[in-house]
Amino acid sequence: MDRFREDAKKTPLGLTVNGTAGVVVATQNFGVLPTKNWQQGTFDGWEKIQGEELTRRFLTKNSACYGCPIGCGRKTKVDDPRFAGQGEGPEYETIYAMGSNCMVDDLAAITKANYICNELGMDTITMGATIACAMELVGRGYLSEDQVGRSLKWGNAEALVELTRMTGSREGFGDQLAEGSYRLADRYGHPELSIHSKKQEFPGYEPRGAQAMGLAYATSPIGGSHMRGDPAYFELFGIPQPVDPHEWKGKAKITKSFQDLSAIIDSAGLCIFFAVRNLTDKQLDVPPTGILEYLNAATGAEYALEELMQAGERIINAERLFLTKAGFSRKDDSLPKRLTEEPAPTGPAKGMVCHLQEMLDEYYREQGWTPDGVPLADRLKQLNLL
Ligand code: SF4
């Protein structure tokens, strides 16, 4: 902790200064800021919703989890009478989902909708992604504004806030939004407009310009999530080592390593922000050497590094076994066709698609699973799961 604090004095961490909202600049620059229900990866209004704006306009003070020297949390207050309120956030994922993804560049509205979700216990990613899906259904004429009961054009800030509130109380069209984007899009005959994997909406990193993220969403045991493996650290931030975000070859290895690492971090009760930067070695297989020191000091056990890394692998394989028994296989490790067949129209990833099937072949080999994604007996024996 002393070492960390000394370093932080020299270069204050972006997370401390602008919170996770600071990520908007990076994703916009890489062309991976999901925009207009994932039709593109750049947003013209990005400067109005980025972290510096949040800090300048609404931040009242930082907040931190117990004992954390980073303090990425944001206590905020909005005075704008249209969207007045106070609370925590918004985080980056909320800003993408309710902002660029809905083409809303009004940070006060995003922050207000975020407060409503916090207060009512709703997930901001799914809320924003479901409203974006509804906006596309309306834009393409598959759903009428009469059915919604109000105007729902791209970028409508008032609609974002009002529909979030109505979802929480399942009022009017909010009753349909409360079912999430998959059921909504399916109901109107266009399930392809729900951007999901295993029916869970994605966090804010476009796989056409960050290939490993596509593989991570598709293979995450709980559906599209950045909390079960987030190789955007490698691809966008060069942590622990920079890799080319547009290259798909070799991404299976780092995705697997990051998934194993995330299982260890979650099980040890640590925060991914601190642990990835400060408690791993700068190698592609992200050895958790710092976590090992913490764990051995806290428990008195004398785990070896290999044992700890194998614990992560065992968790991922046990979860996969559960999924296999529940009928999941390669067919479910999927991404929407928008990301695998429609080339990105803007930004540095222009013309690219996500090479999921090629990466899946590599990934299953890395895992020691069949080409259909089922763990092999030899692998399970190695991990003491058989
Ligand atoms: S523990 Fe993690 S989430 Fe909590 S304040 Fe620190 S960096 Fe942020």
Side-chain angles (χ1 to χ4, degrees):
M1 291 298 267
D2 286 345
R3 211 163 54 212
F4 174 83
R5 287 200 174 96
E6 274 309 304
D7 284 350
K9 267 189 220 156
K10 281 180 245 152
T11 327
L13 264 187
L15 272 176
T16 306
V17 180
N18 290 320
T20 57
V23 171
V24 172
V25 183
T27 48
Q28 168 72 14
N29 284 342
F30 277 95
V32 299
L33 174 61
T35 300
K36 211 175 183 185
N37 199 28
W38 295 75
Q39 292 184 61
Q40 60 195 60
T42 55
F43 179 45
D44 287 345
W46 72 273
E47 282 173 294
K48 293 190 193 163
I49 60 171
Q50 61 154 324
E52 284 177 11
E53 276 298 284
L54 183 71
T55 304
R56 185 181 68 77
R57 294 179 61 194
F58 304 139
L59 183 73
T60 53
K61 68 173 186 172
N62 288 22
S63 65
C65 304
Y66 177 75
C68 175
I70 297 176
C72 72
R74 312 281 93 181
K75 297 268 189 210
T76 52
K77 182 163 186 247
V78 177
D79 290 325
D80 182 332
R82 297 170 309 148
F83 303 121
Q86 56 186 317
E88 292 237 10
E91 302 289 337
Y92 166 72
E93 309 299 343
T94 309
I95 292 177
Y96 119 71
M98 297 184 157
S100 56
N101 208 32
C102 295
M103 305 284 280
V104 169
D105 64 5
D106 186 331
L107 194 54
I110 297 166
T111 306
K112 178 70 175 181
N114 166 74
Y115 293 155
I116 295 170
C117 286
N118 286 350
E119 285 158 14
L120 299 182
M122 299 193 292
D123 175 61
T124 58
I125 294 180
T126 294
M127 186 72 259
T130 304
I131 291 176
C133 175
M135 284 175 166
E136 185 164 0
L137 287 167
V138 168
R140 292 189 185 275
Y142 303 144
L143 168 67
S144 72
E145 291 189 334
D146 279 351
Q147 286 168 298
V148 177
R150 60 164 305 129
S151 166
L152 194 57
K153 304 227 169 358
W154 291 111
N156 187 329
E158 287 76 19
L160 172 77
V161 174
E162 186 59 7
L163 288 175
T164 300
R165 186 192 64 72
M166 288 168 68
T167 302
S169 53
R170 299 197 81 130
E171 179 187 325
F173 186 65
D175 192 42
Q176 294 179 32
L177 292 173
E179 296 289 320
S181 71
Y182 179 78
R183 290 197 184 104
L184 179 76
D186 193 44
R187 179 183 190 126
Y188 292 99
H190 289 276
E192 75 282 3
L193 297 188
S194 166
I195 305 303
H196 74 94
S197 180
K198 301 185 181 78
K199 298 181 186 163
Q200 175 156 294
E201 293 82 357
F202 297 157
Y205 311 89
E206 236 279 15
R208 288 176 288 193
Q211 297 279 319
M213 281 312 284
L215 181 62
Y217 295 159
T219 56
S220 153
I222 59 167
S225 169
H226 56 315
M227 300 312 295
R228 296 302 187 95
D230 190 352
Y233 273 94
F234 284 101
E235 295 188 308
L236 307 185
F237 306 116
I239 299 169
Q241 239 188 55
V243 298
D244 177 359
H246 295 172
E247 177 58 76
W248 64 264
K249 288 182 192 132
K251 290 295 172 66
K253 199 177 181 60
I254 67 168
T255 302
K256 175 192 173 297
S257 299
F258 223 105
Q259 289 172 333
D260 296 343
L261 176 69
S262 299
I264 294 167
I265 290 172
D266 284 351
S267 304
L270 292 166
C271 167
I272 193 166
F273 294 148
F274 186 83
V276 172
R277 283 177 178 79
N278 302 291
L279 302 177
T280 63
D281 282 356
K282 297 191 187 317
Q283 295 171 34
L284 290 180
D285 59 348
V286 280
T289 45
I291 298 177
L292 183 73
E293 280 182 61
Y294 268 17
L295 196 64
N296 282 340
T299 62
E302 291 180 7
Y303 296 112
L305 183 62
E306 295 68 34
E307 279 179 288
L308 183 58
M309 291 174 82
Q310 204 181 59
E313 294 183 297
R314 192 160 45 244
I315 292 165
I316 296 294
N317 277 270
E319 290 177 338
R320 188 71 186 189
L321 275 181
F322 180 93
L323 286 178
T324 302
K325 287 188 178 165
F328 287 77
S329 64
R330 182 176 186 135
K331 69 182 183 333
D332 305 290
D333 292 341
S334 62
L335 293 176
K337 287 191 174 148
R338 172 161 290 172
L339 305 177
T340 56
E341 292 180 12
E342 293 174 22
T346 61
K350 188 171 176 181
M352 297 190 60
V353 295
C354 181
H355 293 266
L356 177 64
Q357 293 308 321
E358 295 92 327
M359 289 191 287
L360 272 181
D361 289 335
E362 264 191 9
Y363 177 83
Y364 295 144
R365 275 197 300 274
E366 281 289 332
Q367 288 285 19
W369 298 349
T370 68
D372 203 31
V374 178
L376 287 162
D378 281 356
R379 184 76 182 114
L380 296 176
K381 276 187 199 141
Q382 268 174 11
L383 296 170
N384 293 324
L385 284 171
L386 251 193

